[in-house]
Amino acid sequence: MTIHRLFIANRGEIALRVIRTARRMGITTVLGVSEADRTSLPTREADEAVLIGPAPSSESYLSIPRVVEAASKAGCDAVHPGYGFLSENAAFARAVAAAGMVFVGPAPETLDKMGDKLEACALALAAGLPVLPGGEVASRGDLHARATETGYPLLLKAVAGGGGRGMRRVDAPGELEAAYDLASAEAEVAFGNGAVYAERFVARGRHVEVQILGDGTSAIHLGTRDCSIQRRFQKLVEEAPAPNLPDVARNGLEQAAVRLARHMNYRGAGTAEFLVDAENFSFYFLELNARIQVEHPVTEAVTGVDLVEQQLLIAMGKQLSLTQDMVRPFGHAIEVRINAEDPDADFRPHPGRVTRAAWPAGEGIRVDSHIASGGEVPPYYDSLIGKLIAIGASREEALTRLSRALGALKIEGLPTTASLHRTIAADPRFAAGGVDSHFLPGILP
Amino acid sequence: MSDTDLPLSPEDVAEIAAILENSPFREIDIATGRFRLRVAKGDGSDAGVTQEWQWAGAGGEVAAVVASAFADDPDAVAAPLPGTFYHAPSPGAPPFVAVGDKVGPDSVIGIVETMKLMNPVHAGRAGTVAEVLAPNATMVAKGQPLIRLS
């Protein structure tokens, strides 16, 4: 089949990103928007826009009946869910299919398995991948028993989770209950499922992930990304390929990801996330994100592959047109997330108006943003206002371009993470490459 | 919604930036009925180029809750940021505090959910809860009094 009218069930920069590729492919885009996004840039850029509901996401972007009805009424033949919101919701994928439209993403059965982090780990084990000790916390009374198995520090994570929502680090037994309540409440709000599991926390870890593409029969990888610089378990800086990783570790990670994708006949774009020991490079499977990732542009920059286009082609039922040999990554790319948050006040989110947005431009610079001068950052959604990607023939060149771009970037009207990124880009340890998850806490005030 | 008025792709902007960088000019300013784009060199010899977009009609409507002036009540615990105020950690759970409860500076009195994050609100000082001012699950502005202590 061919997609003619694509409904975009998302907002912000990723909505804009999907519109761009769809337009290039000759596909008409229909964007579903909430009342808070009526005047947003994606709303103007889409071929058509329809109102799906009030500002709170539970009544708009997270409402399966409203989104499916809007897409159906608009006469769309496919739905792209972007990331976050309903992107990994199996019930949504089924509802889209039941309404006679194509869901641009993996099969609902895959979403079921990957959406349950415990089942995903079981599947990874079956595919021969190493995983961390841990398990579900069935109730509050179950907490301490689980903690005994994992030891301290441990991580509480949302079973339905992703993107750091519903995730808390716990260092001592006294903090366990309070952390559990917050994690569970956050998970409930973000995913409509408050279930939480506990997992051993690896102290000096790097977060390395592998981009995969599968058509249900064959699967390939598009190399690694390093996302070790995170706050509140949300990524701030991502780069491709992962720097200072021995070839044997890199190959091991890439092959493990492909093995998992083949084991489950994966169809779509996905990301296998791993925790890599920063000292001996042993690795553990964490989760498989069955969607496009925020940080996908760094992979696009080094491989030349348009991942959204690949998603759409796979959704049309086409076989992968790429073979593993055709993917020849070249150069290096670093992405920094510019969030409306105050890095000097514990990353407190700061909705409001951007009075001026002067984004960088020029050779080796890509900006994915929905916020222009006068743009509004509503309090209902996440704080990402744009991604700055610097690309070079070498990591050194990418970093030089990043520093220069960060020097030129001006966002006025609200605090952003740009100041922190300038500090990171100027740090000799970051310049050396391969920092672990301790790096960011070490440079924060 | 888009029309055919001079569509500029990111590739076009990159090309404009390249032309500018290799020229003696400082900036290029393009204005149409839909948008204004200013591509400019920064100050200094090695400053990067920036792109600044302004869209017609943008910035008219403010969807966010804007903090208004609140009477400065020294006994009030104010919202540290705008968002949805919750009395309890989860629906159906008992509230963090009720009238008559004694609290310390680190006591959590509620949660403000902003941009999908649960931000615990601390009392900030010791006292007794005299009144809960903001109803459960309502939007509050930054600085809005949530509870009053005595």
Side-chain angles (χ1 to χ4, degrees):
Chain A
M1 62 90 62
T2 307
I3 296 171
H4 298 286
R5 281 174 72 80
L6 178 66
F7 190 86
I8 300 170
N10 215 298
R11 61 176 305 281
E13 67 86 21
I14 193 62
L16 211 48
R17 169 73 191 83
V18 175
I19 290 168
R20 279 191 187 133
T21 289
R23 177 160 297 157
R24 194 169 54 68
M25 295 171 72
I27 298 171
T28 302
T29 52
V30 182
L31 181 67
V33 299
S34 78
E35 275 165 17
D37 285 330
R38 276 168 183 267
T39 61
S40 76
L41 189 48
T43 307
R44 294 156 190 277
E45 284 293 293
D47 294 311
E48 297 167 31
V50 292
L51 190 66
I52 47 171
S57 24
S58 57
E59 296 167 58
S60 49
Y61 299 108
L62 282 173
S63 167
I64 296 176
R66 287 185 190 199
V67 172
V68 174
E69 194 196 339
S72 211
K73 268 194 180 157
C76 291
D77 41 28
V79 176
H80 195 301
Y83 53 67
F85 293 126
L86 296 170
S87 61
E88 294 174 278
N89 187 308
F92 178 61
R94 288 192 175 97
V96 166
M101 297 176 286
V102 169
F103 176 74
V104 182
E109 300 73 43
T110 304
L111 295 176
D112 274 333
K113 288 174 189 145
M114 293 301 112
D116 183 318
K117 302 302 170 195
L118 296 170
E119 202 173 327
C121 279
L123 213 88
L125 265 178
L129 278 64
V131 302
L132 286 166
E136 184 167 8
V137 183
S139 69
R140 220 160 172 264
D142 215 23
L143 267 173
H144 289 279
R146 273 285 175 240
T148 315
E149 290 166 30
T150 60
Y152 287 94
L154 61 86
L155 277 185
L156 292 174
K157 292 175 149 185
V159 168
R165 312 288 173 206
M167 201 184 290
R168 299 273 154 168
R169 176 183 162 163
V170 185
D171 291 309
E175 304 166 6
L176 198 53
E177 266 125 19
Y180 173 78
D181 288 343
L182 281 174
S184 182
E186 235 169 68
E188 183 67 46
V189 168
F191 313 110
N193 176 358
V196 165
Y197 69 102
E199 184 180 86
R200 160 155 238 146
F201 179 78
V202 171
R204 301 203 80 84
R206 279 172 65 180
H207 184 111
V208 179
E209 57 189 32
V210 178
Q211 176 70 50
I212 53 167
L213 283 176
D215 60 11
T217 312
S218 64
I220 60 167
H221 71 81
L222 276 78
T224 55
R225 292 188 288 257
D226 195 312
C227 316
S228 301
I229 300 183
Q230 307 190 4
R231 63 90 184 73
R232 286 197 193 121
F233 308 105
Q234 274 211 305
K235 296 158 190 169
L236 273 177
V237 180
E238 301 104 341
E239 54 186 302
N244 292 350
L245 206 58
D247 279 347
V248 61
R250 184 185 313 282
N251 288 335
L253 287 159
E254 290 168 348
Q255 292 319 312
V258 170
R259 204 155 62 234
L260 179 60
R262 291 201 177 128
H263 180 77
M264 53 198 297
N265 296 321
Y266 194 83
R267 197 189 72 223
T271 296
E273 300 199 339
F274 297 90
L275 186 62
V276 177
D277 190 307
E279 273 139 27
N280 65 18
F281 301 108
S282 59
F283 59 83
Y284 306 93
F285 170 79
L286 291 177
E287 59 185 345
L288 192 147
N289 294 313
R291 54 170 155 85
I292 192 86
Q293 298 270 104
V294 177
E295 60 272 25
H296 76 276
V298 291
T299 298
E300 293 187 327
V302 297
T303 60
V305 174
D306 180 332
L307 287 167
V308 174
E309 180 180 25
Q310 292 298 317
Q311 283 190 300
L312 292 167
L313 292 174
I314 293 165
M316 292 182 203
K318 297 201 169 28
Q319 285 186 346
L320 282 185
S321 55
L322 293 166
T323 62
Q324 193 63 65
D325 283 347
M326 287 160 74
V327 181
R328 291 280 166 88
F330 171 77
H332 202 93
I334 308 174
E335 171 183 287
V336 296
R337 295 193 193 186
I338 309 297
N339 296 337
E341 293 172 7
D342 188 348
D344 296 325
D346 195 27
F347 295 101
R348 176 167 288 180
H350 199 298
R353 166 158 304 170
V354 173
T355 51
R356 183 176 173 218
W359 292 100
E363 196 182 359
I365 296 296
R366 168 174 166 180
V367 173
D368 282 19
S369 169
H370 61 294
I371 294 292
S373 294
E376 188 67 30
V377 184
Y380 307 96
Y381 317 113
D382 71 35
S383 57
L384 181 69
I385 63 168
K387 308 182 297 201
L388 165 60
I389 302 108
I391 306 140
S394 63
R395 187 172 187 273
E396 198 183 357
E397 187 177 47
L399 184 54
T400 303
R401 284 178 173 160
L402 178 68
S403 304
R404 190 163 177 251
L406 283 168
L409 172 76
K410 276 191 189 67
I411 305 291
E412 292 167 12
L414 39 75
T416 74
T417 47
S419 57
L420 174 66
H421 289 307
R422 289 183 193 110
T423 307
I424 293 170
D427 193 289
R429 288 164 296 177
F430 181 70
V435 294
D436 64 38
S437 54
H438 277 239
F439 170 72
L440 183 64
I443 61 170
L444 291 178
Chain B
M1 257 153 269
S2 70
D3 50 41
T4 50
D5 165 29
L6 192 65
L8 280 181
S9 67
E11 291 75 24
D12 297 331
V13 177
E15 232 172 285
I16 294 171
I19 293 168
L20 184 68
E21 281 204 88
N22 298 313
S23 80
F25 299 103
R26 279 195 52 79
E27 64 173 74
I28 295 173
D29 208 325
I30 301 164
T32 75
R34 271 176 77 226
F35 65 83
R36 181 176 167 194
L37 168 65
R38 187 170 165 261
V39 181
K41 283 180 190 167
D43 304 320
S45 61
D46 192 39
V49 175
T50 57
Q51 50 174 320
E52 199 174 334
W53 296 80
Q54 208 151 13
W55 295 85
E61 202 175 308
V62 179
V65 173
V66 177
S68 49
F70 292 105
D72 203 17
D73 181 353
D75 291 328
V77 177
L81 69 177
T84 310
F85 180 56
Y86 293 106
H87 292 180
S90 57
F96 288 102
V97 290
V99 172
D101 285 358
K102 291 208 183 314
V103 295
D106 293 332
S107 302
V108 174
I109 62 104
I111 287 173
V112 173
E113 182 205 347
T114 301
M115 295 171 143
K116 300 198 284 179
L117 273 177
M118 297 296 186
N119 303 277
V121 182
H122 299 276
R125 66 176 184 85
T128 304
V129 179
E131 197 184 347
V132 178
L133 300 165
N136 186 44
T138 52
M139 276 303 286
V140 293
K142 182 181 180 180
Q144 183 173 333
L146 302 175
I147 64 162
R148 203 157 43 74
L149 301 175
S150 61

